[in-house]
PDB file of all heavy atoms in Angstrom:
ATOM      1  N   GLY A 167      24.180  90.587 -13.527  1.00  0.00           N
ATOM      2  CA  GLY A 167      25.074  90.278 -14.533  1.00  0.00           C
ATOM      3  C   GLY A 167      24.562  90.227 -15.820  1.00  0.00           C
ATOM      4  O   GLY A 167      23.244  90.506 -16.033  1.00  0.00           O
ATOM      5  N   ASN A 168      25.234  90.000 -16.971  1.00  0.00           N
ATOM      6  CA  ASN A 168      24.731  89.998 -18.228  1.00  0.00           C
ATOM      7  C   ASN A 168      23.616  89.019 -18.365  1.00  0.00           C
ATOM      8  O   ASN A 168      22.567  89.209 -19.042  1.00  0.00           O
ATOM      9  CB  ASN A 168      25.751  89.945 -19.355  1.00  0.00           C
ATOM     10  CG  ASN A 168      26.617  88.684 -19.306  1.00  0.00           C
ATOM     11  OD1 ASN A 168      27.008  88.292 -18.269  1.00  0.00           O
ATOM     12  ND2 ASN A 168      26.479  87.902 -20.461  1.00  0.00           N
ATOM     13  N   HIS A 169      23.845  87.811 -17.770  1.00  0.00           N
ATOM     14  CA  HIS A 169      22.844  86.642 -17.916  1.00  0.00           C
ATOM     15  C   HIS A 169      21.535  87.046 -17.170  1.00  0.00           C
ATOM     16  O   HIS A 169      20.493  86.442 -17.489  1.00  0.00           O
ATOM     17  CB  HIS A 169      23.352  85.424 -17.455  1.00  0.00           C
ATOM     18  CG  HIS A 169      24.353  84.820 -18.423  1.00  0.00           C
ATOM     19  ND1 HIS A 169      23.937  83.922 -19.393  1.00  0.00           N
ATOM     20  CD2 HIS A 169      25.753  84.912 -18.529  1.00  0.00           C
ATOM     21  CE1 HIS A 169      24.973  83.601 -20.081  1.00  0.00           C
ATOM     22  NE2 HIS A 169      25.996  84.174 -19.594  1.00  0.00           N
ATOM     23  N   ASP A 170      21.568  87.944 -16.304  1.00  0.00           N
ATOM     24  CA  ASP A 170      20.321  88.469 -15.510  1.00  0.00           C
ATOM     25  C   ASP A 170      19.495  89.494 -16.334  1.00  0.00           C
ATOM     26  O   ASP A 170      18.366  89.579 -16.175  1.00  0.00           O
ATOM     27  CB  ASP A 170      20.698  89.068 -14.128  1.00  0.00           C
ATOM     28  CG  ASP A 170      21.409  88.056 -13.247  1.00  0.00           C
ATOM     29  OD1 ASP A 170      20.883  86.881 -13.096  1.00  0.00           O
ATOM     30  OD2 ASP A 170      22.502  88.366 -12.732  1.00  0.00           O
ATOM     31  N   GLY A 171      20.294  90.057 -17.282  1.00  0.00           N
ATOM     32  CA  GLY A 171      19.546  91.213 -17.997  1.00  0.00           C
ATOM     33  C   GLY A 171      19.271  90.824 -19.428  1.00  0.00           C
ATOM     34  O   GLY A 171      18.375  91.343 -20.002  1.00  0.00           O
ATOM     35  N   VAL A 172      19.937  89.929 -19.989  1.00  0.00           N
ATOM     36  CA  VAL A 172      19.697  89.558 -21.347  1.00  0.00           C
ATOM     37  C   VAL A 172      18.393  88.868 -21.541  1.00  0.00           C
ATOM     38  O   VAL A 172      17.904  88.180 -20.592  1.00  0.00           O
ATOM     39  CB  VAL A 172      20.892  88.558 -21.955  1.00  0.00           C
ATOM     40  CG1 VAL A 172      20.835  87.161 -21.286  1.00  0.00           C
ATOM     41  CG2 VAL A 172      20.911  88.548 -23.468  1.00  0.00           C
ATOM     42  N   VAL A 173      17.725  89.020 -22.699  1.00  0.00           N
ATOM     43  CA  VAL A 173      16.505  88.347 -22.973  1.00  0.00           C
ATOM     44  C   VAL A 173      16.617  87.528 -24.267  1.00  0.00           C
ATOM     45  O   VAL A 173      17.502  87.686 -25.060  1.00  0.00           O
ATOM     46  CB  VAL A 173      15.325  89.326 -23.219  1.00  0.00           C
ATOM     47  CG1 VAL A 173      15.106  90.238 -21.884  1.00  0.00           C
ATOM     48  CG2 VAL A 173      15.590  90.292 -24.253  1.00  0.00           C
ATOM     49  N   TYR A 174      15.747  86.587 -24.503  1.00  0.00           N
ATOM     50  CA  TYR A 174      15.767  85.678 -25.580  1.00  0.00           C
ATOM     51  C   TYR A 174      14.730  85.918 -26.540  1.00  0.00           C
ATOM     52  O   TYR A 174      13.585  86.340 -26.047  1.00  0.00           O
ATOM     53  CB  TYR A 174      16.010  84.164 -25.077  1.00  0.00           C
ATOM     54  CG  TYR A 174      14.830  83.660 -24.362  1.00  0.00           C
ATOM     55  CD1 TYR A 174      13.742  83.060 -24.850  1.00  0.00           C
ATOM     56  CD2 TYR A 174      14.909  83.773 -22.969  1.00  0.00           C
ATOM     57  CE1 TYR A 174      12.729  82.522 -24.083  1.00  0.00           C
ATOM     58  CE2 TYR A 174      13.894  83.320 -22.071  1.00  0.00           C
ATOM     59  CZ  TYR A 174      12.781  82.685 -22.733  1.00  0.00           C
ATOM     60  OH  TYR A 174      11.770  82.143 -21.895  1.00  0.00           O
ATOM     61  N   THR A 175      14.789  85.349 -27.689  1.00  0.00           N
ATOM     62  CA  THR A 175      13.822  85.524 -28.717  1.00  0.00           C
ATOM     63  C   THR A 175      12.328  84.899 -28.212  1.00  0.00           C
ATOM     64  O   THR A 175      12.447  83.757 -27.787  1.00  0.00           O
ATOM     65  CB  THR A 175      14.232  84.898 -30.031  1.00  0.00           C
ATOM     66  OG1 THR A 175      15.428  85.384 -30.376  1.00  0.00           O
ATOM     67  CG2 THR A 175      13.104  84.993 -30.984  1.00  0.00           C
ATOM     68  N   GLY A 176      11.421  85.773 -28.348  1.00  0.00           N
ATOM     69  CA  GLY A 176      10.094  85.289 -27.842  1.00  0.00           C
ATOM     70  C   GLY A 176       9.759  85.446 -26.375  1.00  0.00           C
ATOM     71  O   GLY A 176       8.674  85.089 -25.944  1.00  0.00           O
ATOM     72  N   GLU A 177      10.722  85.874 -25.473  1.00  0.00           N
ATOM     73  CA  GLU A 177      10.515  86.027 -24.162  1.00  0.00           C
ATOM     74  C   GLU A 177       9.543  87.163 -23.906  1.00  0.00           C
ATOM     75  O   GLU A 177       9.644  88.271 -24.435  1.00  0.00           O
ATOM     76  CB  GLU A 177      11.864  86.241 -23.369  1.00  0.00           C
ATOM     77  CG  GLU A 177      11.698  86.321 -21.944  1.00  0.00           C
ATOM     78  CD  GLU A 177      12.916  86.409 -21.146  1.00  0.00           C
ATOM     79  OE1 GLU A 177      13.966  86.779 -21.877  1.00  0.00           O
ATOM     80  OE2 GLU A 177      13.038  86.314 -19.970  1.00  0.00           O
ATOM     81  N   ALA A 178       8.615  86.898 -22.941  1.00  0.00           N
ATOM     82  CA  ALA A 178       7.626  87.887 -22.627  1.00  0.00           C
ATOM     83  C   ALA A 178       8.042  88.937 -21.685  1.00  0.00           C
ATOM     84  O   ALA A 178       7.778  90.142 -21.569  1.00  0.00           O
ATOM     85  CB  ALA A 178       6.343  87.274 -22.201  1.00  0.00           C
ATOM     86  N   ALA A 179       8.970  88.480 -20.720  1.00  0.00           N
ATOM     87  CA  ALA A 179       9.471  89.416 -19.625  1.00  0.00           C
ATOM     88  C   ALA A 179      10.367  90.292 -20.094  1.00  0.00           C
ATOM     89  O   ALA A 179      11.202  90.178 -21.161  1.00  0.00           O
ATOM     90  CB  ALA A 179      10.082  88.473 -18.520  1.00  0.00           C
ATOM     91  N   THR A 180      10.411  91.548 -19.428  1.00  0.00           N
ATOM     92  CA  THR A 180      11.350  92.553 -19.807  1.00  0.00           C
ATOM     93  C   THR A 180      12.670  92.285 -19.187  1.00  0.00           C
ATOM     94  O   THR A 180      12.790  91.589 -18.151  1.00  0.00           O
ATOM     95  CB  THR A 180      10.839  94.007 -19.480  1.00  0.00           C
ATOM     96  OG1 THR A 180      10.502  93.943 -17.996  1.00  0.00           O
ATOM     97  CG2 THR A 180       9.477  94.344 -20.180  1.00  0.00           C
ATOM     98  N   SER A 181      13.790  93.000 -19.692  1.00  0.00           N
ATOM     99  CA  SER A 181      14.971  92.770 -19.073  1.00  0.00           C
ATOM    100  C   SER A 181      15.049  93.083 -17.605  1.00  0.00           C
ATOM    101  O   SER A 181      14.556  94.207 -17.198  1.00  0.00           O
ATOM    102  CB  SER A 181      16.088  93.678 -19.888  1.00  0.00           C
ATOM    103  OG  SER A 181      17.374  93.591 -19.238  1.00  0.00           O
ATOM    104  N   LEU A 182      15.731  92.291 -16.805  1.00  0.00           N
ATOM    105  CA  LEU A 182      15.946  92.529 -15.329  1.00  0.00           C
ATOM    106  C   LEU A 182      14.668  92.426 -14.498  1.00  0.00           C
ATOM    107  O   LEU A 182      14.564  92.678 -13.372  1.00  0.00           O
ATOM    108  CB  LEU A 182      16.664  93.846 -15.004  1.00  0.00           C
ATOM    109  CG  LEU A 182      18.087  93.942 -15.671  1.00  0.00           C
ATOM    110  CD1 LEU A 182      18.591  95.339 -15.130  1.00  0.00           C
ATOM    111  CD2 LEU A 182      18.916  92.873 -14.938  1.00  0.00           C
ATOM    112  N   ALA A 183      13.551  91.966 -15.081  1.00  0.00           N
ATOM    113  CA  ALA A 183      12.220  91.982 -14.377  1.00  0.00           C
ATOM    114  C   ALA A 183      12.364  91.057 -13.108  1.00  0.00           C
ATOM    115  O   ALA A 183      11.953  91.513 -12.062  1.00  0.00           O
ATOM    116  CB  ALA A 183      11.184  91.424 -15.279  1.00  0.00           C
ATOM    117  N   ALA A 184      12.855  89.835 -13.318  1.00  0.00           N
ATOM    118  CA  ALA A 184      12.899  88.947 -12.105  1.00  0.00           C
ATOM    119  C   ALA A 184      13.922  89.381 -11.075  1.00  0.00           C
ATOM    120  O   ALA A 184      13.732  89.285  -9.816  1.00  0.00           O
ATOM    121  CB  ALA A 184      13.308  87.494 -12.592  1.00  0.00           C
ATOM    122  N   TYR A 185      15.098  89.997 -11.596  1.00  0.00           N
ATOM    123  CA  TYR A 185      16.144  90.601 -10.621  1.00  0.00           C
ATOM    124  C   TYR A 185      15.504  91.630  -9.772  1.00  0.00           C
ATOM    125  O   TYR A 185      15.688  91.734  -8.608  1.00  0.00           O
ATOM    126  CB  TYR A 185      17.268  91.025 -11.444  1.00  0.00           C
ATOM    127  CG  TYR A 185      18.133  91.945 -10.636  1.00  0.00           C
ATOM    128  CD1 TYR A 185      19.141  91.531  -9.779  1.00  0.00           C
ATOM    129  CD2 TYR A 185      17.932  93.325 -10.724  1.00  0.00           C
ATOM    130  CE1 TYR A 185      19.952  92.366  -9.062  1.00  0.00           C
ATOM    131  CE2 TYR A 185      18.710  94.270 -10.027  1.00  0.00           C
ATOM    132  CZ  TYR A 185      19.710  93.801  -9.218  1.00  0.00           C
ATOM    133  OH  TYR A 185      20.487  94.581  -8.404  1.00  0.00           O
TER     134      TYR A 185
END
Side-chain angles (χ1 to χ4, degrees):
N168 66 301
H169 284 273
D170 301 309
V172 71
V173 296
Y174 59 90
T175 304
E177 184 177 12
T180 57
S181 176
L182 295 180
Y185 163 83

